[in-house]
Amino acid sequence: GDLEALTIKLGARLGSPAFVGPLFGDQSAWIRYGVALLLVAAMVAARYALIPLIGVQAPLLPFVLVVFAAGYLAGLGPALLATLISPVLITPMFTSFPLSGELGAWSAHVALFMIVTVLVSLIVHQLQITSRSQQDALAAAHAAERAVARELSERRHVEDALRKSEGMLKLIYDNTSDSLFLIEVESEDRFIFVTVNDTFLSVTGFERDNVIGRPVEEPL
């Protein structure tokens, strides 16, 4: 009941593009990859400005958020681009380039960053694929529901029209001045009265119960 409806609503919301992205997935590649470059550039500027406050330790750590944001906004390709260019831009700013004594430590830092951000990119991408699949399934279900509703509505209209036609025919059948009857053919030489109108009964003088179901060829 209410719990099931709430679960469906929550699942639809979690699977919506607004929740998992990519928000710019329908834009051109220039826009999507440009978003990734802008995010990286903004974080580089912010991280450099914060050096007097937090120093130069683990400079790539904030760029995990950049990669996630790039994947959320623009998709897998831009997220991987952010993963690649972040260390390239950060290395000359936060290390003594060329790397001499700190090559091992910095390489490990970059490797860890690459592993984490690639995993983040793939997880976000998989969520987006699942979201699209859910949206397609929901759209198909809604289309089928609308088709069924249209079919039921059309069927109701047809049934209403048939009932009205049957009512009109019955009204004419019962009130016409002509003697009318309906017979059923059981065999080549056997015919059964199915129904007769009031005019038939008044003209013939028969009772309805004595006529209905009797063979036409038998005397009443």
Side-chain angles (χ1 to χ4, degrees), residues 124-187:
V124 172
H125 181 60
Q126 187 58 48
L127 287 174
Q128 291 165 351
I129 292 176
T130 303
S131 171
R132 284 194 295 270
S133 299
Q134 290 178 349
Q135 292 300 310
D136 291 343
L138 285 174
H142 290 160
E145 183 179 354
R146 289 192 294 269
V148 170
R150 284 195 301 268
E151 182 179 353
L152 290 176
S153 178
E154 292 173 358
R155 183 178 299 177
R156 281 194 296 269
H157 288 316
V158 171
E159 291 174 351
D160 290 342
L162 285 175
R163 280 194 295 269
K164 290 179 181 179
S165 298
E166 290 173 355
M168 293 179 63
L169 288 175
K170 188 176 186 307
L171 183 64
I172 295 172
Y173 182 82
D174 291 338
N175 295 280
T176 182
S177 58
D178 296 325
S179 247
L180 299 177
F181 56 89
L182 179 64
I183 61 174
E184 178 182 6
V185 179
E186 283 196 346
S187 61

Side-chain angles (χ1 to χ4, degrees), residues 60 83 87 104-118:
L60 283 172
T83 295
W106 182 250
S107 298
H109 183 56
V110 171
L112 179 61
F113 168 79
M114 298 285 286
I115 292 172
V116 171
T117 51
V118 168

Side-chain angles (χ1 to χ4, degrees), residues 30-216:
W30 289 103
I31 293 177
R32 292 187 294 109
Y33 283 90
V35 167
L37 293 175
L38 287 175
L39 289 172
V40 172
M43 183 57 76
V44 168
R47 184 64 182 86
Y48 185 77
L50 291 173
I51 289 178
L53 295 177
I54 60 177
V56 296
Q57 292 78 15
L60 283 172
L61 183 60
F63 287 85
V64 175
L65 296 178
V66 170
V67 173
F68 172 79
Y72 171 71
L73 293 174
L76 178 62
L80 294 178
L81 176 64
T83 295
L84 291 175
I85 66 173
S86 295
V88 173
L89 295 178
I90 286 296
T91 297
M93 297 175 61
F94 287 85
T95 62
S96 301
F97 195 81
L99 302 173
S100 53
E102 52 186 319
L103 177 60
W106 182 250
S107 298
H109 183 56
V110 171
L112 179 61
F113 168 79
M114 298 285 286
I115 292 172
V116 171
T117 51
V118 168
L119 287 176
V120 168
S121 301
L122 293 177
I123 290 172
V124 172
H125 181 60
Q126 187 58 48
L127 287 174
Q128 291 165 351
I129 292 176
T130 303
S131 171
R132 284 194 295 270
S133 299
Q134 290 178 349
Q135 292 300 310
D136 291 343
L138 285 174
H142 290 160
E145 183 179 354
R146 289 192 294 269
V148 170
R150 284 195 301 268
E151 182 179 353
L152 290 176
S153 178
E154 292 173 358
R155 183 178 299 177
R156 281 194 296 269
H157 288 316
V158 171
E159 291 174 351
D160 290 342
L162 285 175
R163 280 194 295 269
K164 290 179 181 179
S165 298
E166 290 173 355
M168 293 179 63
L169 288 175
K170 188 176 186 307
L171 183 64
I172 295 172
Y173 182 82
D174 291 338
N175 295 280
T176 182
S177 58
D178 296 325
S179 247
L180 299 177
F181 56 89
L182 179 64
I183 61 174
E184 178 182 6
V185 179
E186 283 196 346
S187 61
E188 293 182 359
D189 56 354
R190 185 174 176 83
F191 305 91
I192 304 297
F193 281 107
V194 176
T195 183
V196 296
N197 67 351
D198 292 338
T199 304
F200 176 90
L201 296 176
S202 63
V203 169
T204 60
F206 298 139
E207 295 292 334
R208 190 181 303 275
D209 292 340
N210 294 330
V211 176
I212 303 303
R214 295 288 297 274
V216 174

